[in-house]
Amino acid sequence: MGNPKIILGIESSCDETAAAVVQRCTVGVKILSNVVATSLSLQAKFGGIIPEQAAREQLKSIIPVIGEAIDKAQITSNELDAVAVTRGPGLIGSLLVGVETAKTLTLLWNKPLVPVNHLIGHFYANWIYNPLPSFPAIGLLVSGGHTDLIIFKNHGVYQYLGGTRDDAAGECFDKTARLLGLPYPGGPAISKLAATGSPDKFILPKPMINSPDLDFSFSGLKTAVASLAENLKSKTGSLNPKTQADLAAAIEEAIVDVLVEKTLRAARDYNVEQVLVAGGVAANQKLSQTLRQRAATELPHMGVLIPPPPLCTDNAAYIAIAALYNFRPVNPLSVHADPSLSLRH
Ligand code: KG4
Ligand code: ZN
């Protein structure tokens, strides 16, 4: 088969059940539909994700979500050139729902199946509009479970440069938010509150910001926030709203400063003129503003691409786009969910 034009993407790695239909254009891609069902209200109630519960929700939503994506795209399954599915990483129960559904559909419809690494998939939310990314590019992936820097040499050709030695940036947002009594997911909650606080009221560590490597570590920041919050609470019984906002601003600044410093270091070390950011934390406005501002003054020839916020968090559009640019169909029966897939190879 030649170049595929219309692909159905399926994403079920965590607590979002998502399906999208995308179409190749002369330049970039048109998203014909992008449906995301989330069990977020359940996660907010329990303060995080319960894997068995997330898998049960996936099972309930997958068929209606795929049906809705096809309807909204105003096509029939006959018009699809292929199906793409996230094969990992993620929660095994959740992944299995998407992978087995995609395998069944491709066998039924007699269509090619393209398995996608969710982490690489995230970057393809940058391959939609003009200007499209150029190679080589430094890629910063900041999601709930991963914080990695890679150099992208071409589609499907990348090299791992560094990553977190403990907690991911998103995980740090989620865990420190919890310490401040904020709801899950913590990133958007901290960011909203931080807008009303001052980042200079509390001095927090910015772990590994000056280390010459391209690794990260965020668990020390989380521990510092835990002992600070404990200290403040022991004096006044609880955190007042002003203190909460100042702490949120200091947390956001510490995380953003480390991410930006290491990303610019990678761009300088590898002499690239393109940076791509991806993953849920890429929706953070302070991150995008700080990275763009510093890049504009320190590396003026470098382009910075960050997807629009709704495409940063988990969805199936970028899974389908990744398959358009990396069209390598496989025998559906050979595809297996892999919860520990990574960028480290
Ligand atoms: O990529 P993603 O949607 O799911 C994974 O693949 O993990 O990332 C979810 C992470 C969560 O940790 C969430 O707190 C964080 O992205 N996040 C944000 C923002 N929106 C989502 N972090 C900071 N600022 C945001 N606006
Ligand atoms: Zn993700």
Side-chain angles (χ1 to χ4, degrees):
M1 155 172 220
N3 272 348
K5 276 217 174 93
I6 302 187
I7 293 197
L8 167 71
I10 298 175
E11 151 63 39
S12 74
S13 62
C14 193
D15 55 336
E16 269 93 18
T17 315
V21 178
V22 306
Q23 182 174 29
R24 184 191 294 275
C25 302
T26 325
V27 178
V29 166
K30 186 169 178 201
I31 298 175
L32 301 183
S33 65
N34 192 9
V35 181
V36 182
T38 174
S39 47
L40 201 60
S41 55
L42 287 175
Q43 326 303 355
K45 190 166 147 200
F46 294 105
I49 295 164
I50 299 171
E52 286 78 5
Q53 197 179 42
R56 270 200 297 274
E57 294 300 314
Q58 293 283 0
L59 212 46
K60 272 195 233 162
S61 307
I62 192 89
I63 297 296
V65 163
I66 292 172
E68 195 181 330
I70 292 176
D71 286 350
K72 282 198 170 147
Q74 296 188 314
I75 58 157
T76 64
S77 57
N78 278 339
E79 291 166 80
L80 292 170
D81 292 320
V83 176
V85 68
T86 296
R87 79 171 183 99
L91 303 170
I92 184 65
S94 291
L95 283 168
L96 277 171
V97 174
V99 168
E100 295 308 315
T101 306
K103 284 160 74 170
T104 310
L105 289 178
T106 47
L107 289 168
L108 255 170
W109 293 339
N110 196 22
K111 306 276 179 196
L113 177 61
V114 183
V116 175
N117 177 335
H118 176 88
L119 306 175
I120 284 296
H122 263 296
F123 285 108
Y124 281 85
N126 287 300
W127 260 276
I128 300 177
Y129 320 104
N130 239 345
L132 294 174
S134 57
F135 295 115
I138 290 295
L140 170 70
L141 175 76
V142 269
S143 68
H146 295 81
T147 299
D148 292 316
L149 277 166
I150 60 171
I151 181 161
F152 242 116
K153 296 177 180 166
N154 209 330
H155 296 296
V157 186
Y158 60 89
Q159 184 192 333
Y160 174 80
L161 302 179
T164 186
R165 296 182 180 179
D166 40 57
D167 292 353
E171 196 176 350
C172 187
F173 271 116
D174 294 336
K175 288 179 176 170
T176 52
R178 201 174 175 154
L179 293 168
L180 265 56
L182 300 174
Y184 181 89
I190 291 222
S191 184
K192 190 167 168 217
L193 196 58
T196 65
S198 155
D200 311 320
K201 290 281 159 56
F202 297 102
I203 310 278
L204 290 175
K206 295 178 180 173
M208 298 186 71
I209 194 163
N210 291 318
S211 67
D213 51 48
L214 296 172
D215 283 345
F216 301 89
S217 163
F218 289 105
S219 73
L221 174 57
K222 172 192 66 192
T223 311
V225 174
S227 59
L228 191 57
E230 207 45 52
N231 229 327
L232 291 163
K233 278 190 215 159
S234 71
K235 284 182 195 140
T236 55
S238 64
L239 295 176
N240 69 48
K242 176 83 182 82
T243 304
Q244 241 187 350
D246 290 341
L247 264 173
I251 293 166
E252 183 176 53
E253 187 172 275
I255 296 174
V256 164
D257 282 354
V258 175
L259 293 174
V260 171
E261 183 65 35
K262 287 285 166 104
T263 305
L264 294 180
R265 172 165 304 153
R268 276 190 211 99
D269 286 357
Y270 288 84
N271 197 21
V272 302
E273 294 193 351
Q274 175 80 78
V275 161
L276 305 175
V277 188
V281 180
N284 186 277
Q285 296 303 296
K286 174 128 184 154
L287 174 62
S288 53
Q289 281 160 12
T290 311
L291 182 58
R292 287 187 204 285
Q293 273 165 13
R294 280 198 53 191
T297 48
E298 295 170 37
L299 294 165
H301 298 297
M302 197 177 68
V304 174
L305 287 178
I306 306 173
L311 293 177
C312 289
T313 45
D314 286 350
N315 66 82
Y318 60 68
I319 298 300
I321 299 167
L324 271 180
Y325 286 95
N326 299 270
F327 191 64
R328 282 188 286 276
V330 297
N331 176 352
L333 296 177
S334 72
V335 177
H336 300 290
D338 182 351
S340 55
L341 210 60
S342 82
L343 299 178
R344 302 177 188 227
H345 65 246

